[in-house]
Amino acid sequence: MPARPATRECQPNIGCVTNLPLPRFVSLKGDEGNARRGPGLTHRIDWVFTRPGMPLRVTAEYENWRRVEDQDGAGGWVHYALLSGVRSVLITTDMAEFRDAPRADARVVAQAEMGVVARVLQCQPEWCRISSGGERGWVQKSAIWGVDPAEIID
């Protein structure tokens, strides 16, 4: 009787393909990314992401495909080559305030409208330092989507 190949055991909350945490955040690498009903080119396109750098949450992995969703839960299976590990966030409140320190009483240095995509520079438990349109500052996590509540990024 031939030996059966070893099957790889997947760990809870860890991607079987990458061994990275699930769920996790990534960003859209290019200008456009097709989200398909299933992991493969034969599956129908259900959604097209069109915002470069947009944060997406990876919820599953299958070979070269990642199941992703946006802040509204829309998404599908996207080829890994369309995704980047560069972290970004989406401003979710109107006129989010960028502050010069991670404190509510710190000086406001800029503001960003709802829907702006910003790059993550650093995160503490309640604040993230982000960059958008040449402006940098600390924004409360409650005003952004693309990082987990307790996530720390150095």
Side-chain angles (χ1 to χ4, degrees):
M1 198 178 248
R4 291 181 63 204
T7 57
R8 188 164 160 202
E9 291 290 321
C10 294
Q11 298 174 19
N13 303 320
I14 301 291
C16 281
V17 178
T18 62
N19 283 324
L20 294 171
L22 286 177
R24 68 177 177 277
F25 286 98
V26 295
S27 59
L28 185 63
K29 190 183 284 185
D31 294 340
E32 197 172 275
N34 292 334
R36 296 179 178 273
R37 185 153 296 178
L41 293 174
T42 59
H43 291 277
R44 191 175 111 199
I45 296 170
D46 281 341
W47 193 258
V48 180
F49 295 113
T50 58
R51 308 253 334 257
M54 177 179 183
L56 298 167
R57 182 194 304 265
V58 176
T59 59
E61 301 178 343
Y62 179 79
E63 295 177 355
N64 291 331
W65 296 86
R66 306 294 175 261
R67 189 172 63 211
V68 299
E69 59 187 33
D70 66 10
Q71 84 173 76
D72 300 321
W77 291 90
V78 174
H79 194 271
Y80 81 99
L82 301 175
L83 304 173
S84 169
V86 173
R87 296 294 298 274
S88 64
V89 292
L90 190 66
I91 303 293
T92 57
T93 59
D94 195 33
M95 302 313 287
E97 296 177 332
F98 287 40
R99 297 184 179 271
D100 65 1
R103 299 186 321 269
D105 63 350
R107 184 173 62 89
V108 174
V109 294
Q111 291 182 314
E113 294 178 358
M114 186 183 306
V116 166
V117 173
R119 184 161 180 188
V120 175
L121 304 173
Q122 183 181 357
C123 284
Q124 295 180 356
E126 294 180 22
W127 295 81
C128 285
R129 187 165 184 255
I130 62 175
S131 168
S132 180
E135 300 290 344
R136 292 177 177 210
W138 291 92
V139 175
Q140 288 187 305
K141 281 188 179 175
S142 59
I144 56 178
W145 185 86
V147 293
D148 287 319
E151 189 174 7
I152 294 173
I153 300 172
D154 290 325

